[in-house]
């Protein structure tokens, strides 16, 4: 079947099988491999992307269901070369180790901060409770999201680090 | 955040009592991971790549009657269907395991556990491969399974491994350590003896990324490139050469970014071999990535030790001896990963942190109709089991003696002046100063205040528990003379090259799965030669690019490879001295080192930086005799001993008397891993391990029903803590360096997973003391806790 959606601000049109999961569409068809696949029962949340700004587990959405919607993946989280404060926060507060859950965690954090710019630690824990991390023990993820809340988009810290990284890239 | 900034001074630590330069630096790995630009196995796409999927057995024990692949082969997108018969023709139906047993790659004779590999489909895409699995017709003749390890040795137990010549029972091995006669004598005359059966149930490491591989066999030059989720790429290369007959120089194993390992990704799984066979058969690259259920049901489980513990003491609380008999459930094939001479790993560290007069253990391994494994999930080769046993037994003894469990531990610790301490089962602990570490954890917890609070709560009928665990780890396997894996000595290599402009690359033989090696190994080199860590690239995971070594598990990276890296940097630094001397037209012995620079003794203004020396080394300076050009070196490090980090953990739980729900309210963890390379990364390692501990103690469990059906085969049943089930961790540290390690650093990655389960269970049992509960087995789920409160400690399954 024919589908059309916006991925990270770009329109994409593809022919797909109706049964294809959004996670596989994103990874295999669009080659956006930052979105991961960690379970087969919709528990782990490594596949979380934003659909119209809301976090969804893309393993539990058919690509066909995303027809006409706007999807943001981890690759679309930064604004050009400027990192989203959530990305910066995860680096500052060591909110990641193996990095496998990180894209999903960050997208959930982005959605949380978009509707609640100053969440309490318990609110952060609730927000990410649909996601599993095996490495961090969560405390540093909570700190990372708090860091992002304290450093909204465009702060000097975020921009400066990004420029420096851009030079090295 | 509760990093303890005012850490206690440790005079013995001297210069080691601080992190390595650049201490809490941000990770070099992070920029790619936060952008979704990591490079994991399933991200790899090669031209013409096909997808494999495995058909798995629906039953635990059954004779294979027939397989019909006709319909699957007729599927328009299917290129190959491989069965056990096909593999038999190639001599690949069975593969050696890390325990000198063999494991079926695909079933040829009979199924031995549910989820076992029966056939392999190669198709154009992953959906088609799965479709085709359903088109394969298999007929099974179901046999009675062996599920309960306690019945595995019964006379009438079905023999699982009738493939093994002359095998008439399910016995794998007997192993013992310590002195039985001495131990029995101490027990015979002890004032107090307590005994307890303690089960460490079967759990699973469950890394977020499952296992997978992309095999790319090039038929023209006979080269195999294998991208794999492996923690030990070099060992895999050697084993693949031995199994496949492809010469080792024609095999390149690449371990890219790995989404967590936790011991799950040490061994070779049938899926990897099948991807290789698929690639050879089709002439195209073949990707195989298992799903979560396959991961939980067929890859390496952890634990599954049934331990009969006994502890002897004087009436006033001097612990005299420990003994235990262990029944180890190894599943259908003995694929346990451990050094060859240690079939029960390092379980004999079960004497713990205490100065005993005698100790003895026996371990009996048996086959059951379950997935193979055993050593995984941050166990340091069975140290999880050892520490759990001793720390539970000490608590049970404390209850019997009506002593405070902290006081009992303090009374029995090995004293700092006793190190290096030879324990009663053959270990020589390198260093330790246990009491200050214990005192610090008690201070951070407010231990006396907690006990007062508990007393008040008990009077109100509220259930609060305080659990202590003081553990000694043994990590860094290991000395070549004692330790090998399938004949490969457990040493690690390192190569360091300084480029002409003073930037560097260090190549290591271990393989990060998130532990931050790309950052911390650069920090070690930076400390030794004074080049900033940002200017040092750490290369790992590609067997064509890195020196041979045994890989990352058992918290061995810092002890072994970290030592190799420090020594290779010193070798380069020493070579730099000779080159600097030539450049300065002076004698090497007249030069003095300050970080990053050799200068003339007595005249610091005359000297050469490492960057200047690097350029000189690649330039036209006439070098002294015996010094070749370039600025590089390589070493292989054979550790003289393991490292013995330790820690003091205190857990505070509240138990809901109505539901049996356990809430971990606080968790205080004080770790001592000697010299600390990067405190931020260590903290992260501890946090992750503590979460494992809470998970195992309260939630995680792979169970089987009487037919051998796996009941923990998905995340619907195999529960892992989320952010809601764990507290904000409180961490502290002390520093007692390893005297034999080049930078005094010990391993730490598994400490928290090893040390925390007994703290949680001790807390739960402590909370349930008013009900007379002395012990309960993990996981302490609400149902089990509720049952325990009703006077039953072993609830009905």
């Amino acid at each position: 079947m024919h589908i059309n959606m916006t991925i990270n601000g770009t329109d994409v049109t593809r022919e797909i099988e109706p049964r294809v999961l959004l996670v596989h569409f994103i990874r295999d068809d669009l080659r956006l491999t930052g979105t991961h696949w960690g379970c087969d029962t919709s528990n782990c949340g490594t596949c979380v992307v934003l659909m119209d700004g809301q976090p969804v587990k893309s393993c539990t959405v058919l690509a066909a269901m995303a027809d006409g919607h706007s999807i943001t993946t981890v690759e679309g989280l930064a604004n050009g070369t400027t990192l989203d404060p959530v990305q910066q926060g995860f680096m500052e507060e060591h909110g990641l180790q193996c990095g496998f859950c990180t894209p999903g965690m960050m997208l959930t954090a982005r959605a949380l901060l978009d509707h609640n710019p100053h969440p309490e630690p318990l609110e952060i824990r609730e927000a990410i409770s649909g996601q599993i991390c095996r490495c961090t023990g969560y405390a540093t993820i909570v700190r990372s999201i708090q860091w992002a809340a304290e450093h909204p988009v465009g702060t000097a810290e975020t921009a400066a680090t990004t420029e420096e990284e851009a030079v090295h890239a | 955040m509760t990093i303890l900034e005012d850490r206690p001074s440790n005079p013995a630590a001297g210069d080691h009592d601080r992190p390595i330069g650049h201490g809490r630096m941000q990770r070099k790995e992070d920029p790619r991971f936060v952008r979704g630009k990591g490079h994991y196995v399933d991200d790899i796409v090669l031209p013409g790549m096909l997808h494999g999927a495995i058909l798995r057995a629906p039953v635990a024990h059954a004779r294979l009657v027939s397989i019909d692949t006709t319909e699957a082969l007729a599927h328009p997108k299917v290129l190959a269907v491989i069965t056990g018969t096909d593999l038999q023709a190639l001599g690949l139906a069975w593969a050696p395991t890390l325990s000198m047993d063999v494991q079926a790659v695909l079933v040829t004779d009979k199924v031995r556990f549910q989820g076992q590999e029966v056939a392999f489909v190669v198709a154009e895409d992953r959906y088609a491969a799965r479709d085709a699995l359903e088109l394969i017709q298999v007929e099974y003749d179901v046999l009675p399974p062996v599920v309960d390890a306690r019945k595995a040795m019964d006379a009438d137990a079905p023999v699982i491994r009738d493939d093994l010549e002359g095998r008439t029972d399910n016995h794998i091995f007997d192993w013992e350590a310590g002195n039985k006669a001495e131990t029995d004598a101490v027990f015979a005359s002890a004032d107090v003896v307590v005994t307890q059966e303690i089960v460490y149930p079967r759990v699973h490491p469950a890394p977020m990324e499952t296992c997978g591989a992309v095999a790319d066999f090039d038929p023209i030059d006979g080269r195999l490139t294998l991208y794999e989720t492996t923690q030990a790429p070099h060992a895999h290369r050697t084993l693949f050469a031995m199994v496949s007959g492809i010469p080792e120089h024609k095999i390149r194993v690449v371990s890219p970014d790995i989404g967590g390992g936790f011991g799950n990704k040490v061994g070779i799984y049938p899926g990897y071999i099948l991807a290789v066979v698929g690639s050879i058969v089709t002439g195209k690259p073949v990707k195989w990535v298992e799903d979560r259920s396959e991961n939980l049901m067929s890859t390496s489980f952890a634990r599954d030790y049934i331990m009969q513990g006994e502890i002897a003491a004087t009436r006033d609380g001097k612990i005299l001896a420990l003994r235990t008999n262990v029944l180890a459930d190894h599943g259908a094939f003995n694929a346990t990963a451990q050094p060859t001479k240690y079939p029960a790993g390092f379980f004999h560290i079960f004497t713990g942190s205490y100065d005993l007069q005698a100790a003895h253990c026996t371990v009996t391994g048996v086959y059951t109709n379950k997935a193979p494994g055993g050593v995984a999930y941050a166990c340091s080769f069975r140290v999880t089991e050892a520490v759990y046993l001793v720390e539970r037994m000490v608590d049970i003894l404390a209850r019997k003696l009506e002593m405070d469990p902290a006081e009992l531990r303090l009374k029995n610790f090995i004293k700092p002046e006793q190190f290096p301490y030879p324990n009663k089962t053959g270990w020589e602990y390198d260093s330790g100063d246990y009491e200050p570490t214990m005192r610090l954890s008690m201070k951070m917890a407010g231990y006396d205040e907690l006990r007062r609070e508990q007393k008040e709560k008990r009077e109100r009928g509220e259930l609060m528990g305080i659990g202590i665990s003081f553990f000694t780890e043994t990590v860094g396997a290991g000395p070549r003379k004692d330790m090998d894996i399938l004949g490969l000595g457990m040493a690690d290599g390192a190569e360091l090259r300084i480029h002409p402009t003073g930037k560097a690359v260090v190549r290591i033989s271990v393989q990060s799965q998130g532990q931050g090696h790309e950052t911390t190994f650069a920090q070690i080199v930076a400390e030794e030669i004074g080049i900033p860590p940002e200017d040092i690239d750490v290369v790992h995971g590609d067997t064509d690019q890195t020196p041979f070594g045994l890989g990352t598990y058992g918290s061995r990276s810092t002890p072994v490879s970290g030592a190799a890296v420090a020594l290779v940097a010193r070798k380069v630094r020493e070579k730099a001295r000779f080159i600097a001397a030539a450049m300065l037209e002076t004698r090497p012995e007249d030069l003095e080192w300050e970080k990053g620079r050799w200068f003339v003794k007595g005249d610091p203004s005359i000297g050469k930086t490492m960057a200047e020396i690097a350029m000189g080394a690649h330039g036209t300076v006439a070098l002294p005799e015996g010094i070749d050009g370039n600025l590089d070196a390589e070493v292989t490090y054979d550790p003289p001993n393991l490292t013995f980090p330790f820690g003091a953990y205190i857990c505070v739980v509240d138990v809901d008397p109505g539901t049996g729900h356990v809430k971990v309210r606080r968790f205080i963890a004080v770790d001592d891993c000697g010299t600390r390379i990067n405190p931020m990364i260590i903290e992260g390692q501890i946090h992750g391990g503590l979460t494992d501990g809470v998970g195992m103690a309260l939630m995680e469990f792979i169970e089987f029903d009487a037919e051998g059906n796996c009941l923990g085969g998905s995340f619907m049943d195999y529960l892992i803590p989320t952010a809601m089930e764990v507290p904000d961790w409180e961490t502290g540290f002390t520093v007692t360096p390893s005297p034999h390690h080049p930078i005094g650093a010990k391993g730490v990655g598994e400490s928290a997973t090893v040390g925390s389960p007994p703290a949680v269970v001790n807390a739960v049992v402590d909370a349930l003391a008013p009900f007379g509960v002395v012990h309960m087995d993990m996981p302490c789920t609400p149902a089990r806790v509720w049952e325990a409160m009703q006077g039953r400690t072993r609830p009905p399954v």
Side-chain angles (χ1 to χ4, degrees), chain B residues 535-735:
Chain B
D535 289 346
I536 303 164
D537 242 10
V538 178
V539 175
H540 60 91
D542 182 339
T543 57
D544 274 8
Q545 299 284 331
T546 54
F548 189 87
L550 273 252
T552 295
Y553 42 85
S555 303
R556 64 186 300 280
S557 291
T558 293
V560 192
S561 191
V565 163
L567 293 180
V568 83
R570 286 174 196 176
K571 213 167 161 181
V572 163
R573 187 172 73 198
E574 195 55 21
K575 182 173 179 179
R577 173 151 72 151
F578 283 83
I579 295 165
M583 293 170 78
L584 294 167
E585 298 183 339
T586 182
R587 297 180 309 170
E589 52 270 37
D590 292 336
L591 295 183
E592 207 172 315
W593 173 257
E594 65 177 347
K595 202 166 175 183
R597 185 169 175 271
W598 285 106
F599 65 93
V600 175
K601 275 180 198 163
D603 191 354
S605 68
I606 304 174
K608 293 287 180 192
T609 64
M610 281 300 284
E612 290 166 336
I613 299 167
M615 190 57 89
H618 291 86
T620 58
V621 178
L623 299 172
E625 182 119 359
I627 300 291
D628 53 12
N630 300 351
L631 193 49
D632 51 15
E634 56 183 80
V635 301
T636 299
Y637 185 73
D638 177 18
N641 191 4
L642 283 82
T643 66
F644 295 74
F646 53 93
Y649 291 177
I650 298 177
C651 177
V652 183
V653 302
D654 295 310
V655 177
D656 183 327
T659 63
H661 175 257
V662 177
K663 170 84 183 165
V664 177
R665 192 207 315 167
R666 289 181 65 196
F667 202 109
I668 296 92
V670 180
D671 276 88
D672 188 325
C673 59
T675 304
R676 294 154 60 80
I677 297 163
N678 183 323
M680 176 189 84
I681 284 179
I682 294 171
E683 185 196 25
Q685 294 281 288
I686 300 300
H687 285 188
L690 296 175
T691 308
D692 294 346
V694 168
M696 286 184 282
L698 302 182
M699 309 162 71
E700 299 176 28
F701 190 18
I702 297 216
E703 234 184 325
F704 294 83
D705 70 10
E707 279 77 49
N709 294 304
C710 178
L711 305 181
S714 83
F715 279 168
M716 302 297 279
D717 310 296
Y718 192 78
L719 304 180
I720 289 170
T722 72
M724 298 302 287
E725 280 82 42
V726 293
D728 208 354
W729 311 106
E730 303 170 55
T731 58
F733 64 93
T734 55
V735 177

Side-chain angles (χ1 to χ4, degrees), chain B residues 433-467:
Chain B
D433 191 356
Y434 296 162
E435 181 170 340
T437 309
M438 185 74 213
R439 297 269 182 215
L440 175 59
S441 73
M442 291 169 73
K443 184 176 161 217
M444 286 171 65
Y447 186 74
D448 296 339
E449 183 53 40
L450 283 173
R451 286 288 176 204
R452 271 195 294 278
E453 182 192 348
Q454 181 184 39
K455 190 163 175 288
E456 288 165 18
K457 284 195 163 158
R458 276 195 184 154
E459 281 160 11
R460 294 200 299 268
E462 293 173 40
L463 303 177
M464 168 184 167
I466 305 160

Side-chain angles (χ1 to χ4, degrees), chain B residues 24-364:
Chain B
R24 203 179 173 89
M25 78 174 271
Q26 262 186 40
R27 296 203 323 162
K28 294 164 63 131
E29 294 90 336
D30 290 354
R32 67 177 186 272
F33 290 148
V34 300
R35 288 173 171 87
K37 297 295 182 189
H39 204 52
Y40 303 90
V41 165
D42 197 21
D43 301 345
I44 293 168
V45 176
L46 299 178
M49 187 179 79
L50 304 170
H51 294 260
I54 294 173
L55 181 72
R56 293 177 180 277
V59 292
H61 201 191
R63 205 152 291 285
L64 185 66
V65 178
S66 65
I67 301 187
D68 183 352
T69 60
T70 322
E71 264 189 81
L73 274 167
H75 188 290
K77 287 186 171 180
V78 168
L79 285 94
V81 181
I82 296 161
T83 65
T85 313
D86 301 327
L87 290 187
Q88 221 156 18
L90 299 166
L92 287 174
W94 296 81
T97 68
L98 299 179
S99 300
M100 313 300 240
D101 192 359
V102 289
Q103 170 173 4
V105 179
L106 289 178
V107 171
T108 51
D109 51 350
K110 68 176 188 180
V111 169
R112 292 176 173 84
F113 68 91
Q114 188 186 48
Q116 195 184 339
E117 298 79 1
V118 175
F120 187 64
V121 167
V122 182
E124 284 171 19
D125 65 62
R126 61 177 99 224
Y127 283 64
R130 292 291 172 123
D131 288 342
L133 294 184
E134 305 197 351
L135 302 175
I136 301 172
Q137 310 296 326
V138 188
E139 194 184 335
Y140 298 102
D141 179 10
V142 177
L143 301 167
V146 179
V147 180
D148 184 349
R150 292 179 180 86
K151 295 176 183 162
M153 297 286 285
D154 288 357
D156 60 347
V159 177
I160 298 168
R161 296 299 302 280
D162 47 1
D163 58 296
L164 297 170
E165 185 86 28
R167 175 73 55 172
T168 56
D169 62 19
N170 295 313
H171 179 253
I172 308 174
F173 66 87
D174 288 311
W175 183 81
E176 66 176 321
N179 187 311
K180 181 170 170 22
E182 272 177 21
T183 308
D184 290 350
V186 174
F187 267 88
S189 62
D191 296 343
V192 181
V193 171
V194 289
T195 65
Q196 179 64 49
E197 180 184 284
I198 294 177
V199 177
Y200 208 136
R202 178 176 284 232
V203 290
H204 194 282
M208 290 317 300
E209 178 204 32
T210 60
C211 299
V214 179
D216 183 12
F217 182 74
D218 178 345
I220 296 166
D221 64 3
R223 261 187 93 82
L224 171 67
T225 305
L226 184 58
Y227 304 88
E228 267 188 304
T229 50
T230 174
Q231 298 177 220
H234 288 277
H236 274 217
R237 185 189 66 192
T238 304
L239 287 172
F240 270 103
M242 286 157 52
V243 170
S244 68
I246 301 171
E248 195 165 358
H249 67 296
K250 298 271 193 188
I251 300 176
R252 176 182 171 212
V253 173
V254 180
S255 191
D257 289 326
I258 302 293
F262 315 110
N264 191 223
K265 297 168 178 171
V266 174
I268 292 182
Y269 295 117
Y272 303 158
I273 298 171
L274 291 168
V276 172
V277 172
S279 182
I280 291 172
V281 167
T282 61
K284 291 185 172 175
V286 171
K287 175 186 280 185
W288 167 74
V289 176
E290 68 190 4
D291 64 28
R292 176 56 54 192
S293 304
E294 296 179 282
N295 177 256
L296 287 168
M297 289 177 70
S298 73
T299 65
S300 184
F301 75 91
R303 324 293 188 254
D304 219 343
Y305 261 32
I306 301 168
M307 305 181 278
Q308 308 297 330
E310 292 182 277
I311 190 165
T314 63
R315 211 169 304 283
D316 62 351
K318 174 70 193 143
I319 304 173
L320 302 173
L322 265 164
R323 67 184 171 195
T324 183
N325 298 314
V326 178
L327 181 62
D329 184 339
H330 281 233
F333 308 102
N334 189 22
T336 308
Q338 80 268 298
T340 306
K341 291 178 194 165
Y342 301 87
F346 301 158
F347 179 76
H348 51 312
I349 193 79
F350 79 109
T351 58
S353 311
Y354 312 105
D355 185 22
L356 306 180
Q357 292 178 5
H360 182 249
C361 66
T362 65
V363 181
T364 297

Side-chain angles (χ1 to χ4, degrees), chain B residues 330-477:
Chain B
H330 281 233
F333 308 102
N334 189 22
T336 308
Q338 80 268 298
T340 306
K341 291 178 194 165
Y342 301 87
F346 301 158
F347 179 76
H348 51 312
I349 193 79
F350 79 109
T351 58
S353 311
Y354 312 105
D355 185 22
L356 306 180
Q357 292 178 5
H360 182 249
C361 66
T362 65
V363 181
T364 297
V366 295
Y367 291 121
T368 59
N369 286 109
K370 299 174 191 172
V375 165
Y377 206 173
C379 76
S380 310
F381 300 117
R382 302 288 190 188
V383 182
T384 30
E385 290 89 328
V387 165
Y388 186 63
L389 177 80
V390 61
E391 287 306 290
R392 278 299 298 129
M393 290 310 297
V394 168
D395 249 45
I396 294 168
L397 176 66
R399 174 81 73 85
K400 173 94 171 177
L401 296 171
E402 294 178 343
M403 272 181 82
D404 181 278
E407 193 189 322
L408 180 61
R409 285 176 170 85
L410 284 163
K411 192 180 170 95
N412 286 282
F413 280 150
I414 300 162
K415 303 283 182 288
E417 59 273 17
Q418 288 177 279
F419 293 89
Y421 174 80
N423 90 332
K424 294 295 178 188
T425 54
W427 295 104
E428 186 177 281
Y429 296 14
D430 58 349
S431 63
D433 191 356
Y434 296 162
E435 181 170 340
T437 309
M438 185 74 213
R439 297 269 182 215
L440 175 59
S441 73
M442 291 169 73
K443 184 176 161 217
M444 286 171 65
Y447 186 74
D448 296 339
E449 183 53 40
L450 283 173
R451 286 288 176 204
R452 271 195 294 278
E453 182 192 348
Q454 181 184 39
K455 190 163 175 288
E456 288 165 18
K457 284 195 163 158
R458 276 195 184 154
E459 281 160 11
R460 294 200 299 268
E462 293 173 40
L463 303 177
M464 168 184 167
I466 305 160
I468 297 171
S469 166
F470 194 102
F471 63 92
T472 298
E473 256 272 33
T474 176
V475 298

